[in-house]
Amino acid sequence: MFPIILRTKYAFHTLLWLLEPDLILDVGSMDGSDSKKFIKLIPKANVVAFEGNPNNYREMCTDIDLQKLGIRVEHRLVSNQVGNRSFFIQRPIIANTKSNRGTSSVIRRSEQDMETEEVSIDAVRIDSFLTQEYSNKKCVAIWADVEGHAYEALEGIHEVQDHVYVIHIEVETQEIWPGQKIESDILALAKSMGFILIAHGAHKIQRDIILIKECWYNANRGKILTLLHISKWVGPLLSKMLLANRRAGLTYRALLKIH
């Protein structure tokens, strides 16, 4: 049955809507655009956006919409340890060349026509961060895009794993960053923490996966599978529908009728 192949971001939106977490972590946020969607979808939730690239972080700090929506922006690296770590920022060698703002990583990577700058950044584990600052939050969802650092980020939830119910994370099925852990390693770690893989994207090498807590899946199997299958066929429409109806208190039964 598993995993379902689909556009995972839309499925994640539906799972957030069903779960209604009280805390959502956007790890490797880049520009906060996903955080904005999350807080609009679940207005009662706290949303924290972590961004390691100092250039991206500075732009996020001047984003009026992030401020108005009450999204907390943290210039920290989410990892399996705390303290200062090296972080590698990539940018084009040729000036004024358009680049992907989300390719920087804790792992150095050599790419043609790109130069790398090493900076120092404060690293934090998710479990220690939550224990210190959000100890009252018992239902957590995580969205993570950390460029080859997924395994280490996931290791950092160990002490609060019982409070995390849904994880959307980018993984690689083969080595892209030197020495990185790949999808099979991440799935083995997730399984040891009680998570199951329910969906992944269509790409062969680098793709997003969705992990959910097995106990939550068992308690909501029918609803979860229905939402995933709807997401597979009309994901963008479903996401827009949920955002448009968030204040109207759209119920699961009403959603099925609309669909």
Side-chain angles (χ1 to χ4, degrees), residues 7 33 40-41 50 55 93 103-104 107 111 131 144 147 150 153 157-158 161 166 169 180 193 203 250:
R7 284 177 285 181
S33 58
K40 290 176 180 178
L41 187 62
F50 292 91
N55 303 319
I93 294 174
T103 59
S104 300
I107 307 173
E111 286 190 285
T131 299
E147 302 300 305
I157 75 168
H158 186 268
Q161 59 183 322
V166 180
I169 191 165
Q180 74 166 114
M193 293 182 176
H203 295 292
L250 185 65

mmCIF file with all atom_site columns, all heavy atoms in Angstrom, residues 7 33 40-41 50 55 93 103-104 107 111 131 144 147 150 153 157-158 161 166 169 180 193 203 250:
data_model
loop_
_atom_site.group_PDB
_atom_site.id
_atom_site.type_symbol
_atom_site.label_atom_id
_atom_site.label_alt_id
_atom_site.label_comp_id
_atom_site.label_asym_id
_atom_site.label_entity_id
_atom_site.label_seq_id
_atom_site.pdbx_PDB_ins_code
_atom_site.Cartn_x
_atom_site.Cartn_y
_atom_site.Cartn_z
_atom_site.occupancy
_atom_site.B_iso_or_equiv
_atom_site.pdbx_formal_charge
_atom_site.auth_seq_id
_atom_site.auth_comp_id
_atom_site.auth_asym_id
_atom_site.auth_atom_id
_atom_site.pdbx_PDB_model_num
ATOM 1   N N   . ARG A 1 7   ? 2.459   14.755 -5.015  1.00 0.00 ? 7   ARG A N   1
ATOM 2   C CA  . ARG A 1 7   ? 3.109   16.025 -4.700  1.00 0.00 ? 7   ARG A CA  1
ATOM 3   C C   . ARG A 1 7   ? 2.930   16.255 -3.202  1.00 0.00 ? 7   ARG A C   1
ATOM 4   O O   . ARG A 1 7   ? 1.861   16.642 -2.730  1.00 0.00 ? 7   ARG A O   1
ATOM 5   C CB  . ARG A 1 7   ? 2.494   17.155 -5.526  1.00 0.00 ? 7   ARG A CB  1
ATOM 6   C CG  . ARG A 1 7   ? 2.959   17.130 -6.983  1.00 0.00 ? 7   ARG A CG  1
ATOM 7   C CD  . ARG A 1 7   ? 2.307   18.193 -7.818  1.00 0.00 ? 7   ARG A CD  1
ATOM 8   N NE  . ARG A 1 7   ? 0.926   17.871 -8.127  1.00 0.00 ? 7   ARG A NE  1
ATOM 9   C CZ  . ARG A 1 7   ? 0.126   18.629 -8.869  1.00 0.00 ? 7   ARG A CZ  1
ATOM 10  N NH1 . ARG A 1 7   ? 0.581   19.770 -9.367  1.00 0.00 ? 7   ARG A NH1 1
ATOM 11  N NH2 . ARG A 1 7   ? -1.110  18.261 -9.105  1.00 0.00 ? 7   ARG A NH2 1
ATOM 12  N N   . SER A 1 33  ? 8.162   31.365 3.003   1.00 0.00 ? 33  SER A N   1
ATOM 13  C CA  . SER A 1 33  ? 6.919   31.243 2.237   1.00 0.00 ? 33  SER A CA  1
ATOM 14  C C   . SER A 1 33  ? 6.070   30.074 2.705   1.00 0.00 ? 33  SER A C   1
ATOM 15  O O   . SER A 1 33  ? 4.824   30.172 2.754   1.00 0.00 ? 33  SER A O   1
ATOM 16  C CB  . SER A 1 33  ? 7.232   31.111 0.743   1.00 0.00 ? 33  SER A CB  1
ATOM 17  O OG  . SER A 1 33  ? 8.075   29.995 0.491   1.00 0.00 ? 33  SER A OG  1
ATOM 18  N N   . LYS A 1 40  ? -1.489  30.312 8.100   1.00 0.00 ? 40  LYS A N   1
ATOM 19  C CA  . LYS A 1 40  ? -2.808  30.614 7.539   1.00 0.00 ? 40  LYS A CA  1
ATOM 20  C C   . LYS A 1 40  ? -3.717  29.392 7.599   1.00 0.00 ? 40  LYS A C   1
ATOM 21  O O   . LYS A 1 40  ? -4.930  29.513 7.776   1.00 0.00 ? 40  LYS A O   1
ATOM 22  C CB  . LYS A 1 40  ? -2.671  31.115 6.102   1.00 0.00 ? 40  LYS A CB  1
ATOM 23  C CG  . LYS A 1 40  ? -2.047  32.497 6.001   1.00 0.00 ? 40  LYS A CG  1
ATOM 24  C CD  . LYS A 1 40  ? -1.842  32.921 4.555   1.00 0.00 ? 40  LYS A CD  1
ATOM 25  C CE  . LYS A 1 40  ? -1.210  34.308 4.481   1.00 0.00 ? 40  LYS A CE  1
ATOM 26  N NZ  . LYS A 1 40  ? -0.965  34.725 3.083   1.00 0.00 ? 40  LYS A NZ  1
ATOM 27  N N   . LEU A 1 41  ? -3.125  28.224 7.470   1.00 0.00 ? 41  LEU A N   1
ATOM 28  C CA  . LEU A 1 41  ? -3.892  26.988 7.526   1.00 0.00 ? 41  LEU A CA  1
ATOM 29  C C   . LEU A 1 41  ? -4.268  26.625 8.955   1.00 0.00 ? 41  LEU A C   1
ATOM 30  O O   . LEU A 1 41  ? -5.389  26.172 9.225   1.00 0.00 ? 41  LEU A O   1
ATOM 31  C CB  . LEU A 1 41  ? -3.077  25.852 6.905   1.00 0.00 ? 41  LEU A CB  1
ATOM 32  C CG  . LEU A 1 41  ? -3.757  24.504 6.721   1.00 0.00 ? 41  LEU A CG  1
ATOM 33  C CD1 . LEU A 1 41  ? -4.945  24.614 5.768   1.00 0.00 ? 41  LEU A CD1 1
ATOM 34  C CD2 . LEU A 1 41  ? -2.758  23.476 6.191   1.00 0.00 ? 41  LEU A CD2 1
ATOM 35  N N   . PHE A 1 50  ? 13.384  28.149 10.934  1.00 0.00 ? 50  PHE A N   1
ATOM 36  C CA  . PHE A 1 50  ? 14.827  28.109 11.117  1.00 0.00 ? 50  PHE A CA  1
ATOM 37  C C   . PHE A 1 50  ? 15.511  28.314 9.764   1.00 0.00 ? 50  PHE A C   1
ATOM 38  O O   . PHE A 1 50  ? 15.181  27.629 8.797   1.00 0.00 ? 50  PHE A O   1
ATOM 39  C CB  . PHE A 1 50  ? 15.265  26.751 11.679  1.00 0.00 ? 50  PHE A CB  1
ATOM 40  C CG  . PHE A 1 50  ? 14.832  26.480 13.094  1.00 0.00 ? 50  PHE A CG  1
ATOM 41  C CD1 . PHE A 1 50  ? 13.621  25.843 13.351  1.00 0.00 ? 50  PHE A CD1 1
ATOM 42  C CD2 . PHE A 1 50  ? 15.635  26.851 14.161  1.00 0.00 ? 50  PHE A CD2 1
ATOM 43  C CE1 . PHE A 1 50  ? 13.233  25.567 14.643  1.00 0.00 ? 50  PHE A CE1 1
ATOM 44  C CE2 . PHE A 1 50  ? 15.245  26.589 15.470  1.00 0.00 ? 50  PHE A CE2 1
ATOM 45  C CZ  . PHE A 1 50  ? 14.035  25.944 15.714  1.00 0.00 ? 50  PHE A CZ  1
ATOM 46  N N   . ASN A 1 55  ? 22.257  35.404 4.738   1.00 0.00 ? 55  ASN A N   1
ATOM 47  C CA  . ASN A 1 55  ? 21.668  36.321 3.744   1.00 0.00 ? 55  ASN A CA  1
ATOM 48  C C   . ASN A 1 55  ? 20.157  36.125 3.668   1.00 0.00 ? 55  ASN A C   1
ATOM 49  O O   . ASN A 1 55  ? 19.381  37.098 3.647   1.00 0.00 ? 55  ASN A O   1
ATOM 50  C CB  . ASN A 1 55  ? 22.302  36.081 2.378   1.00 0.00 ? 55  ASN A CB  1
ATOM 51  C CG  . ASN A 1 55  ? 23.813  36.243 2.401   1.00 0.00 ? 55  ASN A CG  1
ATOM 52  O OD1 . ASN A 1 55  ? 24.339  37.162 3.034   1.00 0.00 ? 55  ASN A OD1 1
ATOM 53  N ND2 . ASN A 1 55  ? 24.519  35.350 1.731   1.00 0.00 ? 55  ASN A ND2 1
ATOM 54  N N   . ILE A 1 93  ? 29.659  32.257 -9.242  1.00 0.00 ? 93  ILE A N   1
ATOM 55  C CA  . ILE A 1 93  ? 30.928  32.955 -9.438  1.00 0.00 ? 93  ILE A CA  1
ATOM 56  C C   . ILE A 1 93  ? 30.712  34.205 -10.275 1.00 0.00 ? 93  ILE A C   1
ATOM 57  O O   . ILE A 1 93  ? 31.297  35.259 -10.011 1.00 0.00 ? 93  ILE A O   1
ATOM 58  C CB  . ILE A 1 93  ? 31.952  32.017 -10.116 1.00 0.00 ? 93  ILE A CB  1
ATOM 59  C CG1 . ILE A 1 93  ? 32.303  30.863 -9.170  1.00 0.00 ? 93  ILE A CG1 1
ATOM 60  C CG2 . ILE A 1 93  ? 33.213  32.776 -10.520 1.00 0.00 ? 93  ILE A CG2 1
ATOM 61  C CD1 . ILE A 1 93  ? 33.191  29.813 -9.790  1.00 0.00 ? 93  ILE A CD1 1
ATOM 62  N N   . THR A 1 103 ? 20.347  26.240 -1.580  1.00 0.00 ? 103 THR A N   1
ATOM 63  C CA  . THR A 1 103 ? 21.310  25.153 -1.773  1.00 0.00 ? 103 THR A CA  1
ATOM 64  C C   . THR A 1 103 ? 22.434  25.130 -0.750  1.00 0.00 ? 103 THR A C   1
ATOM 65  O O   . THR A 1 103 ? 23.258  24.216 -0.772  1.00 0.00 ? 103 THR A O   1
ATOM 66  C CB  . THR A 1 103 ? 21.939  25.231 -3.178  1.00 0.00 ? 103 THR A CB  1
ATOM 67  O OG1 . THR A 1 103 ? 22.600  26.505 -3.325  1.00 0.00 ? 103 THR A OG1 1
ATOM 68  C CG2 . THR A 1 103 ? 20.891  25.065 -4.261  1.00 0.00 ? 103 THR A CG2 1
ATOM 69  N N   . SER A 1 104 ? 22.524  26.101 0.125   1.00 0.00 ? 104 SER A N   1
ATOM 70  C CA  . SER A 1 104 ? 23.574  26.103 1.141   1.00 0.00 ? 104 SER A CA  1
ATOM 71  C C   . SER A 1 104 ? 23.349  24.970 2.136   1.00 0.00 ? 104 SER A C   1
ATOM 72  O O   . SER A 1 104 ? 22.219  24.520 2.341   1.00 0.00 ? 104 SER A O   1
ATOM 73  C CB  . SER A 1 104 ? 23.605  27.451 1.861   1.00 0.00 ? 104 SER A CB  1
ATOM 74  O OG  . SER A 1 104 ? 23.850  28.504 0.944   1.00 0.00 ? 104 SER A OG  1
ATOM 75  N N   . ILE A 1 107 ? 27.096  20.679 4.876   1.00 0.00 ? 107 ILE A N   1
ATOM 76  C CA  . ILE A 1 107 ? 28.072  19.857 4.177   1.00 0.00 ? 107 ILE A CA  1
ATOM 77  C C   . ILE A 1 107 ? 28.597  20.632 2.965   1.00 0.00 ? 107 ILE A C   1
ATOM 78  O O   . ILE A 1 107 ? 27.803  21.138 2.166   1.00 0.00 ? 107 ILE A O   1
ATOM 79  C CB  . ILE A 1 107 ? 27.448  18.523 3.713   1.00 0.00 ? 107 ILE A CB  1
ATOM 80  C CG1 . ILE A 1 107 ? 26.763  17.804 4.875   1.00 0.00 ? 107 ILE A CG1 1
ATOM 81  C CG2 . ILE A 1 107 ? 28.515  17.627 3.094   1.00 0.00 ? 107 ILE A CG2 1
ATOM 82  C CD1 . ILE A 1 107 ? 25.982  16.575 4.457   1.00 0.00 ? 107 ILE A CD1 1
ATOM 83  N N   . GLU A 1 111 ? 30.298  22.633 -6.829  1.00 0.00 ? 111 GLU A N   1
ATOM 84  C CA  . GLU A 1 111 ? 29.480  22.663 -8.037  1.00 0.00 ? 111 GLU A CA  1
ATOM 85  C C   . GLU A 1 111 ? 30.095  23.607 -9.051  1.00 0.00 ? 111 GLU A C   1
ATOM 86  O O   . GLU A 1 111 ? 30.696  24.631 -8.694  1.00 0.00 ? 111 GLU A O   1
ATOM 87  C CB  . GLU A 1 111 ? 28.055  23.117 -7.707  1.00 0.00 ? 111 GLU A CB  1
ATOM 88  C CG  . GLU A 1 111 ? 27.204  22.102 -6.993  1.00 0.00 ? 111 GLU A CG  1
ATOM 89  C CD  . GLU A 1 111 ? 25.754  22.539 -6.933  1.00 0.00 ? 111 GLU A CD  1
ATOM 90  O OE1 . GLU A 1 111 ? 25.441  23.425 -6.140  1.00 0.00 ? 111 GLU A OE1 1
ATOM 91  O OE2 . GLU A 1 111 ? 24.938  21.994 -7.695  1.00 0.00 ? 111 GLU A OE2 1
ATOM 92  N N   . THR A 1 131 ? 12.173  21.665 24.586  1.00 0.00 ? 131 THR A N   1
ATOM 93  C CA  . THR A 1 131 ? 12.156  21.520 26.043  1.00 0.00 ? 131 THR A CA  1
ATOM 94  C C   . THR A 1 131 ? 12.366  22.863 26.733  1.00 0.00 ? 131 THR A C   1
ATOM 95  O O   . THR A 1 131 ? 11.713  23.172 27.732  1.00 0.00 ? 131 THR A O   1
ATOM 96  C CB  . THR A 1 131 ? 13.236  20.522 26.496  1.00 0.00 ? 131 THR A CB  1
ATOM 97  O OG1 . THR A 1 131 ? 12.961  19.241 25.912  1.00 0.00 ? 131 THR A OG1 1
ATOM 98  C CG2 . THR A 1 131 ? 13.257  20.382 28.011  1.00 0.00 ? 131 THR A CG2 1
ATOM 99  N N   . ALA A 1 144 ? 10.960  20.067 6.769   1.00 0.00 ? 144 ALA A N   1
ATOM 100 C CA  . ALA A 1 144 ? 12.413  20.237 6.762   1.00 0.00 ? 144 ALA A CA  1
ATOM 101 C C   . ALA A 1 144 ? 13.001  20.079 5.368   1.00 0.00 ? 144 ALA A C   1
ATOM 102 O O   . ALA A 1 144 ? 12.689  19.125 4.658   1.00 0.00 ? 144 ALA A O   1
ATOM 103 C CB  . ALA A 1 144 ? 13.074  19.238 7.712   1.00 0.00 ? 144 ALA A CB  1
ATOM 104 N N   . GLU A 1 147 ? 19.175  20.079 2.852   1.00 0.00 ? 147 GLU A N   1
ATOM 105 C CA  . GLU A 1 147 ? 20.261  19.874 1.900   1.00 0.00 ? 147 GLU A CA  1
ATOM 106 C C   . GLU A 1 147 ? 21.316  18.873 2.388   1.00 0.00 ? 147 GLU A C   1
ATOM 107 O O   . GLU A 1 147 ? 22.450  19.229 2.673   1.00 0.00 ? 147 GLU A O   1
ATOM 108 C CB  . GLU A 1 147 ? 20.918  21.221 1.572   1.00 0.00 ? 147 GLU A CB  1
ATOM 109 C CG  . GLU A 1 147 ? 19.968  22.265 1.008   1.00 0.00 ? 147 GLU A CG  1
ATOM 110 C CD  . GLU A 1 147 ? 19.311  21.833 -0.291  1.00 0.00 ? 147 GLU A CD  1
ATOM 111 O OE1 . GLU A 1 147 ? 20.028  21.490 -1.235  1.00 0.00 ? 147 GLU A OE1 1
ATOM 112 O OE2 . GLU A 1 147 ? 18.065  21.831 -0.339  1.00 0.00 ? 147 GLU A OE2 1
ATOM 113 N N   . ALA A 1 150 ? 19.453  15.726 6.525   1.00 0.00 ? 150 ALA A N   1
ATOM 114 C CA  . ALA A 1 150 ? 18.171  15.261 7.057   1.00 0.00 ? 150 ALA A CA  1
ATOM 115 C C   . ALA A 1 150 ? 18.340  14.290 8.220   1.00 0.00 ? 150 ALA A C   1
ATOM 116 O O   . ALA A 1 150 ? 17.600  14.358 9.213   1.00 0.00 ? 150 ALA A O   1
ATOM 117 C CB  . ALA A 1 150 ? 17.351  14.614 5.944   1.00 0.00 ? 150 ALA A CB  1
ATOM 118 N N   . ALA A 1 153 ? 19.283  16.125 11.423  1.00 0.00 ? 153 ALA A N   1
ATOM 119 C CA  . ALA A 1 153 ? 18.153  16.912 11.927  1.00 0.00 ? 153 ALA A CA  1
ATOM 120 C C   . ALA A 1 153 ? 17.124  16.018 12.602  1.00 0.00 ? 153 ALA A C   1
ATOM 121 O O   . ALA A 1 153 ? 16.569  16.351 13.659  1.00 0.00 ? 153 ALA A O   1
ATOM 122 C CB  . ALA A 1 153 ? 17.513  17.700 10.785  1.00 0.00 ? 153 ALA A CB  1
ATOM 123 N N   . ILE A 1 157 ? 15.395  15.028 17.285  1.00 0.00 ? 157 ILE A N   1
ATOM 124 C CA  . ILE A 1 157 ? 14.066  15.045 17.902  1.00 0.00 ? 157 ILE A CA  1
ATOM 125 C C   . ILE A 1 157 ? 13.914  13.933 18.945  1.00 0.00 ? 157 ILE A C   1
ATOM 126 O O   . ILE A 1 157 ? 12.842  13.764 19.526  1.00 0.00 ? 157 ILE A O   1
ATOM 127 C CB  . ILE A 1 157 ? 12.936  14.908 16.856  1.00 0.00 ? 157 ILE A CB  1
ATOM 128 C CG1 . ILE A 1 157 ? 12.833  13.464 16.338  1.00 0.00 ? 157 ILE A CG1 1
ATOM 129 C CG2 . ILE A 1 157 ? 13.110  15.896 15.726  1.00 0.00 ? 157 ILE A CG2 1
ATOM 130 C CD1 . ILE A 1 157 ? 11.586  13.180 15.532  1.00 0.00 ? 157 ILE A CD1 1
ATOM 131 N N   . HIS A 1 158 ? 14.965  13.179 19.188  1.00 0.00 ? 158 HIS A N   1
ATOM 132 C CA  . HIS A 1 158 ? 14.862  11.930 19.957  1.00 0.00 ? 158 HIS A CA  1
ATOM 133 C C   . HIS A 1 158 ? 14.105  12.086 21.270  1.00 0.00 ? 158 HIS A C   1
ATOM 134 O O   . HIS A 1 158 ? 13.219  11.285 21.590  1.00 0.00 ? 158 HIS A O   1
ATOM 135 C CB  . HIS A 1 158 ? 16.263  11.377 20.230  1.00 0.00 ? 158 HIS A CB  1
ATOM 136 C CG  . HIS A 1 158 ? 16.261  10.028 20.885  1.00 0.00 ? 158 HIS A CG  1
ATOM 137 N ND1 . HIS A 1 158 ? 16.293  9.882  22.265  1.00 0.00 ? 158 HIS A ND1 1
ATOM 138 C CD2 . HIS A 1 158 ? 16.191  8.780  20.366  1.00 0.00 ? 158 HIS A CD2 1
ATOM 139 C CE1 . HIS A 1 158 ? 16.254  8.588  22.558  1.00 0.00 ? 158 HIS A CE1 1
ATOM 140 N NE2 . HIS A 1 158 ? 16.202  7.910  21.444  1.00 0.00 ? 158 HIS A NE2 1
ATOM 141 N N   . GLN A 1 161 ? 10.288  12.820 20.583  1.00 0.00 ? 161 GLN A N   1
ATOM 142 C CA  . GLN A 1 161 ? 9.699   12.098 19.457  1.00 0.00 ? 161 GLN A CA  1
ATOM 143 C C   . GLN A 1 161 ? 8.229   11.738 19.668  1.00 0.00 ? 161 GLN A C   1
ATOM 144 O O   . GLN A 1 161 ? 7.465   11.654 18.701  1.00 0.00 ? 161 GLN A O   1
ATOM 145 C CB  . GLN A 1 161 ? 10.505  10.826 19.173  1.00 0.00 ? 161 GLN A CB  1
ATOM 146 C CG  . GLN A 1 161 ? 10.596  9.862  20.340  1.00 0.00 ? 161 GLN A CG  1
ATOM 147 C CD  . GLN A 1 161 ? 11.487  8.657  20.004  1.00 0.00 ? 161 GLN A CD  1
ATOM 148 O OE1 . GLN A 1 161 ? 11.483  8.151  18.893  1.00 0.00 ? 161 GLN A OE1 1
ATOM 149 N NE2 . GLN A 1 161 ? 12.250  8.209  20.973  1.00 0.00 ? 161 GLN A NE2 1
ATOM 150 N N   . VAL A 1 166 ? 3.881   14.450 12.501  1.00 0.00 ? 166 VAL A N   1
ATOM 151 C CA  . VAL A 1 166 ? 4.019   14.485 11.042  1.00 0.00 ? 166 VAL A CA  1
ATOM 152 C C   . VAL A 1 166 ? 5.339   15.160 10.689  1.00 0.00 ? 166 VAL A C   1
ATOM 153 O O   . VAL A 1 166 ? 5.668   16.217 11.241  1.00 0.00 ? 166 VAL A O   1
ATOM 154 C CB  . VAL A 1 166 ? 2.863   15.257 10.372  1.00 0.00 ? 166 VAL A CB  1
ATOM 155 C CG1 . VAL A 1 166 ? 3.035   15.279 8.859   1.00 0.00 ? 166 VAL A CG1 1
ATOM 156 C CG2 . VAL A 1 166 ? 1.513   14.640 10.731  1.00 0.00 ? 166 VAL A CG2 1
ATOM 157 N N   . ILE A 1 169 ? 10.084  15.893 4.875   1.00 0.00 ? 169 ILE A N   1
ATOM 158 C CA  . ILE A 1 169 ? 11.522  16.140 4.836   1.00 0.00 ? 169 ILE A CA  1
ATOM 159 C C   . ILE A 1 169 ? 12.106  15.735 3.494   1.00 0.00 ? 169 ILE A C   1
ATOM 160 O O   . ILE A 1 169 ? 11.711  14.723 2.906   1.00 0.00 ? 169 ILE A O   1
ATOM 161 C CB  . ILE A 1 169 ? 12.220  15.396 6.010   1.00 0.00 ? 169 ILE A CB  1
ATOM 162 C CG1 . ILE A 1 169 ? 13.670  15.828 6.168   1.00 0.00 ? 169 ILE A CG1 1
ATOM 163 C CG2 . ILE A 1 169 ? 12.096  13.884 5.865   1.00 0.00 ? 169 ILE A CG2 1
ATOM 164 C CD1 . ILE A 1 169 ? 14.272  15.411 7.515   1.00 0.00 ? 169 ILE A CD1 1
ATOM 165 N N   . GLN A 1 180 ? 27.096  12.068 3.242   1.00 0.00 ? 180 GLN A N   1
ATOM 166 C CA  . GLN A 1 180 ? 25.760  12.228 3.803   1.00 0.00 ? 180 GLN A CA  1
ATOM 167 C C   . GLN A 1 180 ? 25.064  10.880 4.020   1.00 0.00 ? 180 GLN A C   1
ATOM 168 O O   . GLN A 1 180 ? 25.391  9.864  3.401   1.00 0.00 ? 180 GLN A O   1
ATOM 169 C CB  . GLN A 1 180 ? 24.890  13.082 2.873   1.00 0.00 ? 180 GLN A CB  1
ATOM 170 C CG  . GLN A 1 180 ? 24.448  12.337 1.621   1.00 0.00 ? 180 GLN A CG  1
ATOM 171 C CD  . GLN A 1 180 ? 23.329  13.033 0.873   1.00 0.00 ? 180 GLN A CD  1
ATOM 172 O OE1 . GLN A 1 180 ? 23.527  13.479 -0.239  1.00 0.00 ? 180 GLN A OE1 1
ATOM 173 N NE2 . GLN A 1 180 ? 22.146  13.109 1.480   1.00 0.00 ? 180 GLN A NE2 1
ATOM 174 N N   . MET A 1 193 ? 11.966  5.288  15.730  1.00 0.00 ? 193 MET A N   1
ATOM 175 C CA  . MET A 1 193 ? 11.272  6.294  16.527  1.00 0.00 ? 193 MET A CA  1
ATOM 176 C C   . MET A 1 193 ? 9.764   6.157  16.436  1.00 0.00 ? 193 MET A C   1
ATOM 177 O O   . MET A 1 193 ? 9.035   6.979  16.994  1.00 0.00 ? 193 MET A O   1
ATOM 178 C CB  . MET A 1 193 ? 11.678  7.705  16.064  1.00 0.00 ? 193 MET A CB  1
ATOM 179 C CG  . MET A 1 193 ? 13.119  8.068  16.337  1.00 0.00 ? 193 MET A CG  1
ATOM 180 S SD  . MET A 1 193 ? 13.451  9.773  15.798  1.00 0.00 ? 193 MET A SD  1
ATOM 181 C CE  . MET A 1 193 ? 15.137  9.985  16.346  1.00 0.00 ? 193 MET A CE  1
ATOM 182 N N   . HIS A 1 203 ? 10.469  12.090 -7.836  1.00 0.00 ? 203 HIS A N   1
ATOM 183 C CA  . HIS A 1 203 ? 11.859  12.129 -8.285  1.00 0.00 ? 203 HIS A CA  1
ATOM 184 C C   . HIS A 1 203 ? 12.634  10.929 -7.767  1.00 0.00 ? 203 HIS A C   1
ATOM 185 O O   . HIS A 1 203 ? 12.393  10.441 -6.653  1.00 0.00 ? 203 HIS A O   1
ATOM 186 C CB  . HIS A 1 203 ? 12.532  13.427 -7.841  1.00 0.00 ? 203 HIS A CB  1
ATOM 187 C CG  . HIS A 1 203 ? 11.943  14.648 -8.484  1.00 0.00 ? 203 HIS A CG  1
ATOM 188 N ND1 . HIS A 1 203 ? 12.073  14.918 -9.812  1.00 0.00 ? 203 HIS A ND1 1
ATOM 189 C CD2 . HIS A 1 203 ? 11.209  15.658 -7.958  1.00 0.00 ? 203 HIS A CD2 1
ATOM 190 C CE1 . HIS A 1 203 ? 11.444  16.053 -10.105 1.00 0.00 ? 203 HIS A CE1 1
ATOM 191 N NE2 . HIS A 1 203 ? 10.901  16.522 -8.993  1.00 0.00 ? 203 HIS A NE2 1
ATOM 192 N N   . LEU A 1 250 ? -14.206 24.180 8.411   1.00 0.00 ? 250 LEU A N   1
ATOM 193 C CA  . LEU A 1 250 ? -14.488 23.084 7.489   1.00 0.00 ? 250 LEU A CA  1
ATOM 194 C C   . LEU A 1 250 ? -14.246 21.739 8.171   1.00 0.00 ? 250 LEU A C   1
ATOM 195 O O   . LEU A 1 250 ? -13.183 21.487 8.715   1.00 0.00 ? 250 LEU A O   1
ATOM 196 C CB  . LEU A 1 250 ? -13.586 23.205 6.252   1.00 0.00 ? 250 LEU A CB  1
ATOM 197 C CG  . LEU A 1 250 ? -13.815 22.211 5.114   1.00 0.00 ? 250 LEU A CG  1
ATOM 198 C CD1 . LEU A 1 250 ? -15.188 22.433 4.500   1.00 0.00 ? 250 LEU A CD1 1
ATOM 199 C CD2 . LEU A 1 250 ? -12.736 22.366 4.060   1.00 0.00 ? 250 LEU A CD2 1
#
